[in-house]
Amino acid sequence: MAENTTDIYSRVKALIDEGETSEIEFKSANGGFPGSFWESYSAFANTNGGTIVLGVAEKNGRLFFDGLTEETAIRYKKNFWDCAHNRGKISACLPRESDVKMAQIDNSYILICYIPRASYEIRPVYIGSNPFGNTYRRNHEGDYRCTDAEVRRMFADAEHDRHPQDGRILVGFDFDRDIDIESLHQYRQTLASLQPSHPWAGISDMDFLKKLGAYATEYETGKEGFTLAGILMFGKYDSITNNSSDPMYFVDYRETLATDNPDIRWTHRIYPDGLWEANLYQFYIRVYNRLIQSLPRPFMMKDGIRQEETPAHDAVREALINCIIHNDVNAMGHIVVERTDQHLIFRNPGMMLVSQQQYFEGGRSICRNPILQKMFMRLGRAEKAGSGVDKIVSGWQSLGWPVPTVTEETRPDYVVLTMQLGQENPTRKPHKKTPQENPTRKPHKNELRRMQILEFCVAPKSLFDIMQHLGLKDRKNVMEAYINPMIGAGVLEMTEPENPTSRNQMYVTAKAEAHGEA
């Protein structure tokens, strides 16, 4: 019998009201159990999971029930389970019994099948016996057939525990020619300062690289040489991009702060421009020092010692390292880190090895590049259990800022971590105001800034110019606290009032104000 409960009815109505999305698919079953069902099954399993509703047709953006009978729905449910357990039909049976339910809406029956995301160990999930040409993934446009390269990358992820990509031995690489000595010695000095009595402190550079996993020997074959991790971390850029290493390697930091100039794409950028050895260690040092400039540095004492860094600094460090150590060198694209006035954004190529829920729950260490992870851990710069996600979340919450979000993009595959700077809608409990925050002092400060703006804007000025003049960085706050109210009061005018969001928009003091008449 159909499970015609209030909860199921509400769930079905919610699904129908939402319509088709990247996680919901409606399929007509008037002519029998649809063959395209298994394409969607594969697609959901290889992406983020999703729900297939059988017995609902979509026409011209509207949904119609097929009018399936209870008997037909029961038959389709049995058909589903028979095929799901048949390896000749689909490579993995993922749903539990509770994930597949029948429901009755008015006089029509439907079958609701929730397909969970497959763990990395059993991807790809494919139709039939051949994964190539029969593996699907999901994007906003629906199901699409994976290329052979995408299928191979899923198989590589499934084997990453035994064959990590950064453990690949690169034959023919030479210490003097391919290793950047400055990067290696910087790393060693940092380790020595953190652990002065570490037994590796006095050994040679080559022995140190062997201990670190940057140089390895395969006991079975006798093959030895620098690992991909060693060259990526300490190598010279030309050596990193050699065809035998990672020829598509590129790292990119983009900073766009407080500018209204349409000709300025980035206010600062760090990328392989030939002025530095663009290995991962140098990239990490340079980018971390830029990112933390967006954070407050409150005066903190611990055991009588001033602490310059806060949990938020730990969060940024972990986010940057996660971006590096989870990078899939076989995927299209490259590491991109962005800083704007509103966000820090970390993008690394590849698919997530865990679900988003597992990502935030933490506690399970799954890393695509475990040797790189250990290199950062030696410096106390990475968390193995849960990949440091707890530090990212707690560090941001310590400032009262929103919990960071993580999303996956397809074609090309990217994992995107976004950390919002500041709190747009504060929900924290009110705290005792400091003298600087006391409302009795704010009107004086605000009025002073309004006068500064009026004096400065006698000639038209851009928002960026105004912010620099006031020494402020929050564009949204400047607009809401000063510019918009002053325009509303008629004391400040836009040079392009018919197009308020124009890139060429400037602000000028109203004529009456400029001549002291108001």
Side-chain angles (χ1 to χ4, degrees), residues 345-366:
I345 303 172
F346 304 83
R347 299 165 58 87
N348 66 268
M351 298 171 60
M352 292 180 67
L353 295 178
V354 297
S355 67
Q356 293 185 21
Q357 180 180 352
Q358 291 171 322
Y359 177 88
F360 283 108
E361 286 176 351
R364 186 184 182 193
S365 178
I366 302 176

Side-chain angles (χ1 to χ4, degrees), residues 77-152:
K77 185 176 182 180
K78 182 179 184 303
N79 188 350
F80 167 80
W81 284 118
D82 288 345
C83 292
H85 287 101
N86 180 359
R87 283 295 185 93
K89 183 64 179 180
I90 194 75
S91 63
C93 180
L94 300 172
R96 299 166 299 180
E97 195 72 30
S98 59
D99 291 330
V100 181
K101 296 181 181 294
M102 288 170 51
Q104 182 181 6
I105 302 295
D106 300 326
N107 295 319
S108 186
Y109 283 79
I110 60 175
L111 189 65
I112 307 169
C113 304
Y114 172 68
I115 313 302
R117 176 191 177 108
S119 64
Y120 73 93
E121 300 102 320
I122 60 176
R123 288 199 299 259
V125 174
Y126 53 91
I127 302 169
S129 57
N130 184 5
F132 297 102
N134 297 299
T135 299
Y136 294 82
R137 291 188 68 203
R138 186 87 172 168
N139 60 19
H140 291 291
E141 298 175 358
D143 307 330
Y144 68 86
R145 182 181 282 108
C146 293
T147 65
D148 289 356
E150 289 175 305
V151 173
R152 282 192 290 268

Side-chain angles (χ1 to χ4, degrees), residues 411-438:
R411 293 201 163 181
D413 293 335
Y414 269 102
V415 178
V416 185
L417 174 68
T418 302
M419 304 170 73
Q420 180 178 307
L421 296 170
Q423 175 64 277
E424 291 183 353
N425 298 299
T427 57
R428 302 180 78 189
K429 294 181 179 179
H431 62 283
K432 186 176 180 180
K433 293 184 180 294
T434 64
Q436 290 78 15
E437 297 174 311
N438 195 305

Side-chain angles (χ1 to χ4, degrees), residues 296 311-312 392-404 420-429:
I392 296 173
V393 173
S394 62
W396 235 230
Q397 289 181 321
S398 72
L399 297 175
W401 293 353
V403 173
Q420 180 178 307
L421 296 170
Q423 175 64 277
E424 291 183 353
N425 298 299
T427 57
R428 302 180 78 189
K429 294 181 179 179

Side-chain angles (χ1 to χ4, degrees), residues 50-87:
T51 301
I52 305 173
V53 182
L54 206 59
V56 180
E58 182 185 17
K59 296 179 182 178
N60 300 321
R62 297 182 61 190
L63 298 172
F64 302 89
F65 292 106
D66 284 341
L68 298 182
T69 65
E70 181 180 11
E71 180 184 3
T72 302
I74 291 173
R75 188 171 75 251
Y76 286 168
K77 185 176 182 180
K78 182 179 184 303
N79 188 350
F80 167 80
W81 284 118
D82 288 345
C83 292
H85 287 101
N86 180 359
R87 283 295 185 93

